[in-house]
Every structure is written in structure tokens, then in C-alpha cells.
Amino acid sequence: MPDSSPSVTIIIATTAEAKRDNDIRQAISSIRSASKNPVTILVYVNGNRYSPALCSWLKEEAGVDYFYSEVGSFPLALYEAKKLVKTAYFGFLDDDDELLPGSIDKRLEVFEQEPGIDAAIGNGVRNINGKEIVTQKSIEECRKDPLRSLLRNNGNWLASCAGLFKTSSFDNEFFADYAPYSEWTYTAYRIANLKKVGFTEYKTYRINYTDNSLSAGLEYIQGQYNCASKVLKLKLPRDVKKALKNKAINFAHDVAHRALIEKQFWCALKFHLISLSSFSGFRNYAMFSRYFLSKDTLRQ
């Protein structure tokens, strides 16, 4: 028999704009299909762009706990919503993504099999313009070494909706510390470094990408560099720090390249100099200096 008292809360932080109406309804429906037991659905609306009709529906919908803040900040909404969790476990879901059928129960099984863990992470798929790609090709590699597996290309196993967290293991301040544009990558490093993590191969979520969400502008790329720099301030094993420093150098070059494309000369020069600050960076990117000496670049 299913339990009548929810043990899991799934948080949806959203602006609740009219254009998100169908997405939010689909996200809520997917949560209900993710467990045979009742789940608390906590919708935290933030900002002033909300649709009154959609908010009215959310307030009246059975099984949905509705909260609102006039401050339009997604990270702050997640932080404030976490404070409201009263169940033993919690997770997050972006308003345009989905949990797959049975996925909450599959992650609860990981907690049952490994009672000492703080978070259970599922595999998932990324839906890119109708084509689905599995997020992690080797969950076993993640399981063996959660921290070092993050260093691989596309190694971040903590998509926004991948984790189910034990509430008692994460105080309210944990999610107050984040890296803009790379929130979940930074959180994954902190969890891998500070907590015990379990994994399941089971596909637990679908992240829906569009052409716009795939675009990597200057702010996003600089956010990756800032994230690597922020992670380097953590207490990490020496080999992990060395690998992260190399990643930061590579990100600095990516910022410099993108900044030149966007005609941000001084930003490009700053990050190019950063990319030259290690032996490997100088070896790989010294030749890029020629782009700063061209007449077109110097006119910027």
C-alpha cells in the first residue's frame, strides 16, 4: 500500500509567466508520475512577471504548496524554498523539465541500499530539439569517484533535477552559496567534497533544451571560469586542484575568444593574459596573441 504521508518534496522555482503555463503543468504532472506515493510539490513563484491565471491555478491545485516572493531571483528562490521543506527528502525541478515515471522511487531505493549517503543521483536524458542524449555514459565511473569524475568533459552528474537529497544532511545555508551560470556544477563539487553520494543508472529526468538555451554567450562562458576559480578555493586533493587549474586556464581562453567575437577588447585581453599564466596555458595559447595585434582588433 502506498504511504499517505509524503516523504519527498520537489521544489519548482519559477517566474510563472503565461508562456510557461504548459511547461509548469507538464512538470507538475511528471512529479506525480515519479512516485507511487504522494509527493509534496512546492512551487515558489518569484518576481513580478507572473500570470495571475496561472498563479490562481497553482494555488487551487491539490497537492501543490504555493509560495510567492516579489524578489525576482532564481538562486534566492531555491534558497528560500529549501527552508520550507518539511519532508525527509527533497529535490528540484526546473519548470520546463520533467521527472520520468518512477524516478523518485528509484532514487529512494538508493537510500535504502546505502543508508549512509546524503544524496542519490540519477542518470537522465537531455532533449535537444527532439533528440534525446543520455547525460552520463558511465554512472559506474561517477560511483567509484564522484569528485574526480566531475573533471571529465561533460562530467557534471548533478543536473538541476538529477538529485534527491536527505533533508537532514543539508542545512538551509548550503544552497545560499552558488556560482552564477554554473550553479549545479559548483554544487556538485561541494557535495562530492563534503558529502556521501549514491548513484543509479536509472534515467530519472528529461531536460528540455531549445536553441536559445544552448547558446553560450560571454556571460555564460565567463561564469564557467568563475565557477572553476570558486571551486579552487575549496579544500581539495592536490591532484584535483591541479586539474582544475588547467580547466580554469582553458576557460579563460574560451572567455578571451568569445569576448573578441563580441568586440569586448579589454575583457578579451584580460582573460588572454590569464590564459598565459601557466606553462601549459602559454604553450597552448601564446599564438592567440596575434589576434590582439591586428588592425581591426586595435580599433575596438
Side-chain angles (χ1 to χ4, degrees):
M1 287 288 292
D3 295 334
S4 59
S5 179
S7 66
V8 175
T9 296
I10 300 297
I11 295 166
I12 300 177
T14 178
T15 55
E17 297 168 75
K19 64 182 180 181
R20 315 296 278 189
D21 191 300
N22 289 337
D23 290 336
I24 291 173
R25 291 172 190 261
Q26 177 176 267
I28 289 173
S29 177
S30 78
I31 294 171
R32 289 173 172 151
S33 74
S35 177
K36 64 181 181 294
N37 297 310
V39 175
T40 297
I41 302 171
L42 196 163
V43 178
Y44 198 98
V45 176
N46 65 101
N48 57 13
R49 294 180 291 172
Y50 60 85
S51 159
L54 176 55
C55 289
S56 293
W57 178 80
L58 289 167
K59 291 175 186 176
E60 296 170 4
E61 185 66 4
V64 173
D65 291 345
Y66 173 92
F67 296 90
Y68 171 73
S69 171
E70 63 184 11
V71 180
S73 167
F74 183 72
L76 181 61
L78 295 182
Y79 166 66
E80 293 295 339
K82 161 58 178 70
K83 293 192 213 177
L84 300 168
V85 172
K86 295 180 173 63
T87 53
Y89 303 95
F90 70 97
F92 300 97
L93 180 63
D94 288 351
D95 61 8
D96 54 353
D97 297 330
E98 305 162 67
L99 296 186
L100 298 180
S103 60
I104 290 175
D105 292 342
K106 285 294 182 181
R107 283 176 286 185
L108 287 174
E109 287 177 11
V110 180
F111 281 107
E112 292 173 2
Q113 294 160 4
E114 305 176 59
I117 63 172
D118 304 297
I121 311 298
N123 206 347
V125 296
R126 299 177 187 274
N127 175 22
I128 302 176
N129 296 322
K131 182 180 180 181
E132 291 195 346
I133 300 171
V134 177
T135 304
Q136 290 297 323
K137 293 181 179 178
S138 177
I139 285 293
E140 186 58 35
E141 193 172 339
C142 302
R143 185 181 288 116
K144 287 180 179 177
D145 196 334
L147 179 60
R148 288 170 180 82
S149 69
L150 291 167
L151 296 168
R152 294 179 290 121
N153 289 334
N154 300 316
N156 180 22
W157 34 258
L158 189 64
S160 56
C161 43
L164 195 63
F165 307 99
K166 186 181 293 182
T167 306
S168 60
S169 297
F170 295 86
D171 61 33
N172 289 332
E173 299 307 311
F174 189 90
F175 292 95
D177 185 13
Y178 65 95
Y181 297 99
S182 294
E183 292 93 343
W184 295 107
T185 299
Y186 178 63
T187 301
Y189 273 104
R190 292 180 67 218
I191 288 175
N193 196 39
L194 300 171
K195 308 290 184 180
K196 293 181 179 179
V197 191
F199 292 88
T200 175
E201 291 274 5
Y202 191 86
K203 295 177 182 64
T204 59
Y205 61 85
R206 178 183 293 112
I207 293 178
N208 295 307
Y209 285 87
T210 62
D211 290 331
N212 288 336
S213 59
L214 286 171
S215 62
L218 180 58
E219 287 185 342
Y220 173 80
I221 297 171
Q222 190 168 339
Q224 291 183 302
Y225 169 80
N226 292 339
C227 176
S229 300
K230 192 174 174 70
V231 173
L232 281 167
K233 295 177 183 178
L234 303 176
K235 188 175 181 179
L236 298 166
R238 183 176 298 179
D239 65 304
V240 174
K241 281 213 167 190
K242 182 178 179 181
L244 267 170
K245 285 177 181 177
N246 288 333
K247 285 179 77 73
I249 289 294
N250 294 336
F251 285 141
H253 170 71
D254 292 342
V255 175
H257 183 248
R258 185 68 198 186
L260 273 186
I261 292 173
E262 297 189 11
K263 301 187 183 304
Q264 301 288 328
F265 177 80
W266 294 110
C267 176
L269 180 60
K270 171 187 172 182
F271 280 93
H272 178 55
L273 293 175
I274 292 172
S275 76
L276 301 179
S277 63
S278 74
F279 174 77
S280 64
F282 188 85
R283 180 186 61 201
N284 293 331
Y285 304 125
M287 289 298 293
F288 190 74
S289 302
R290 69 188 186 276
Y291 293 106
F292 293 88
L293 301 176
S294 70
K295 291 181 181 179
D296 290 340
T297 302
L298 291 173
R299 287 196 196 102
Q300 292 182 29

